[in-house]
Amino acid sequence: GSAAARPVARTLVAYAAPPPGRGFALSEALTDRMAAHRTAEQACFARNGNAACRALGETSERCAAVAVAVRAQGTVVTADPRTFIALFYAFGTGTEQRRAEQAALSACAARRAPDGSCRVEIARCGP
């Protein structure tokens, strides 16, 4: 006989730069947990000008998201990194992308500085 098919555990991992760094990354959903850590760390390192990043979160939930709290460098925050300072990053998970994004925004808002605002930087779901 054959063994019953079991769902394959997959891991999503997020890394982020220490503030005020602007690097962050979210791995693909991988079956190899350590490979998920390596890929997220390397991608964050590359986005952070080859400076160190640290693990932000890990999950076996289907979806994960990273939010950032930012403070304007001037009048308005735009996509241009010169218009804001990253205060900190937050991690959220969920069964759907929308839930993961809401969880990340909620975690961000709970820690938010009075003059900062939170926004989702990246979200991803596995199979």
Side-chain angles (χ1 to χ4, degrees):
S2 64
R6 293 184 192 178
V8 175
R10 297 187 184 270
T11 302
L12 286 159
V13 176
Y15 272 72
R22 293 195 176 105
F24 61 89
L26 183 58
S27 73
E28 297 290 332
L30 300 175
T31 55
D32 182 336
R33 180 178 168 264
M34 294 313 295
H37 274 273
R38 278 191 306 277
T39 58
E41 184 179 31
Q42 290 168 352
C44 181
F45 184 77
R47 287 189 75 158
N48 195 35
N50 295 327
C53 291
R54 58 182 175 222
L56 184 61
E58 166 185 331
T59 187
S60 57
E61 286 243 32
R62 187 171 167 273
C63 302
V66 174
V68 62
V70 297
R71 179 174 48 225
Q73 292 260 86
T75 340
V76 67
V77 173
T78 69
D80 183 343
R82 294 173 294 186
T83 66
F84 64 89
I85 295 171
L87 302 174
F88 58 84
Y89 292 88
F91 183 67
T93 66
T95 54
E96 301 170 351
Q97 183 170 326
R98 180 181 53 79
R99 289 186 181 187
E101 290 173 355
Q102 288 172 340
L105 286 171
S106 179
C108 184
R111 294 184 47 205
R112 193 175 89 207
D115 57 348
S117 61
C118 295
R119 66 182 189 204
V120 172
E121 286 292 320
I122 189 169
R124 179 168 289 137
C125 294

